[in-house]
Amino acid sequence: MVILPYESLNQGVMDESIIITFANQKGGVGKTTLCVTFANYLVKKGLPVIVIDCDSQESLAQRRESDLKRYPSGDTAIPYEVLPFSLNKEEALFGFIGNIRKTRCVAIFDSPGNLKQQGLVTLFANSDYIICPYHYDRTTIPSTATFIAFLQKLKNVMAGKMNARLILVPNRHDARVGRRSELMLWEETRETFSRYGLVTPKINSRADMERFCTLSDLDGQLEVTQAAFDTIFKEIFGHIEADTENG
């Protein structure tokens, strides 16, 4: 199987690199799953993509190895690289981000959930967009609110040097769950969160989303994520390509 370096992919559609970080201090919100499925979505748009796994457990890098064993494809090109990268060394992180800025690609970082992780502030400060998945439930909402407050405080401390735009994704939504009072709370939450960033359409809870693959967009996932990802794409790139298959 051939790995195409992102320098060789279709760069004509991009003027400069874009760094997108998937982040939330709350675990279990589907951050890693959306990171991969969004990478697959962008590849279908014809964009050069690289995915960086910053989790100490390297779950994405391990998933790529597993996918290569499960879906051997001979000379079929791998759509994007999945690189494990530790945030522990600030100097190495600055150098890595600098190298990304010299290319024309979409770099998608899957960040660790611990806000005390060394290097995480540097990553946030150098991101163009921070995408924060969350659930509509009584545990995740306050935790996500704390994360938003952390980002706001960080922006204030950085005094104009941090320009990352926040995108919030209500993920794993189950329309069958929620009393009237809870539904009202969730709508209020959406309205409140929208004061700090773009809130996308909901992504419904579906078993298809748990079977994500780092080599291709599997059947069913695009249907679930289409509305949310189209909204994100329009926010970042300003338009939506008519043909999602060919870019």
Side-chain angles (χ1 to χ4, degrees):
M1 185 171 287
V2 178
I3 298 179
L4 290 182
Y6 48 86
E7 292 88 351
S8 69
L9 295 176
N10 179 13
Q11 298 172 324
V13 295
M14 296 185 61
D15 295 325
E16 59 184 12
S17 294
I18 296 174
I19 294 179
I20 301 172
T21 299
F22 280 76
N24 195 335
Q25 68 173 357
K26 179 70 173 65
V29 293
K31 177 170 55 68
T32 298
T33 300
L34 291 189
C35 178
V36 171
T37 52
F38 188 59
N40 294 338
Y41 170 91
L42 291 181
V43 167
K44 282 195 170 186
K45 293 285 190 182
L47 295 176
V49 174
I50 181 171
V51 174
I52 300 96
D53 181 4
C54 296
D55 193 319
S56 60
Q57 297 181 353
E58 298 184 359
S59 57
L60 268 185
Q62 291 177 18
R63 174 59 72 95
R64 166 54 65 83
E65 292 182 6
S66 175
D67 288 342
L68 288 173
K69 294 176 182 178
R70 187 175 181 183
Y71 304 103
S73 305
D75 294 333
T76 301
I78 293 177
Y80 50 83
E81 292 184 81
V82 176
L83 302 178
F85 188 86
S86 173
L87 298 178
N88 290 331
K89 296 182 179 180
E90 293 276 343
E91 185 175 345
L93 178 58
F94 276 116
F96 185 65
I97 291 175
N99 288 334
I100 289 176
R101 291 296 187 191
K102 294 176 183 177
T103 66
R104 287 183 293 173
C105 70
V106 182
I108 303 178
F109 284 77
D110 185 25
S111 68
N114 182 4
L115 294 182
K116 296 181 180 180
Q117 168 69 48
Q118 183 178 352
L120 193 57
V121 167
T122 299
L123 177 58
F124 288 161
N126 285 277
S127 296
D128 299 302
Y129 295 88
I130 296 174
I131 299 180
C132 176
Y134 68 96
H135 294 168
Y136 280 124
D137 63 47
R138 293 183 179 275
T139 301
T140 306
I141 289 174
S143 180
T144 302
T146 300
F147 178 67
I148 294 173
F150 171 83
L151 292 179
Q152 290 297 117
K153 183 177 181 180
L154 182 59
K155 282 189 174 184
N156 292 336
V157 171
M158 297 292 292
K161 295 181 180 180
M162 176 178 170
N163 299 310
R165 301 182 68 177
L166 179 62
I167 299 175
L168 296 125
V169 184
N171 189 35
R172 294 179 174 172
H173 177 67
D174 189 342
R176 301 168 301 176
V177 177
R179 301 184 181 90
R180 177 183 173 85
S181 59
E182 291 175 323
L183 296 176
M184 292 176 63
L185 172 62
W186 298 343
E187 190 57 38
E188 291 173 4
T189 298
R190 182 182 185 89
E191 182 177 343
T192 300
F193 283 2
S194 66
R195 299 172 189 168
Y196 301 95
L198 173 69
V199 182
T200 73
K202 302 181 185 73
I203 295 178
N204 291 326
S205 179
R206 288 266 294 271
D208 293 322
M209 294 299 295
E210 302 305 318
R211 294 190 288 267
F212 69 88
C213 177
T214 67
L215 298 176
S216 65
D217 189 28
L218 301 179
D219 294 341
Q221 293 181 350
L222 182 58
E223 177 185 349
V224 179
T225 59
Q226 182 85 57
F229 286 175
D230 281 351
T231 300
I232 297 172
F233 188 88
K234 185 175 181 179
E235 173 72 5
I236 296 175
F237 298 99
H239 66 283
I240 299 177
E241 301 291 339
D243 185 355
T244 59
E245 294 295 330
N246 300 314

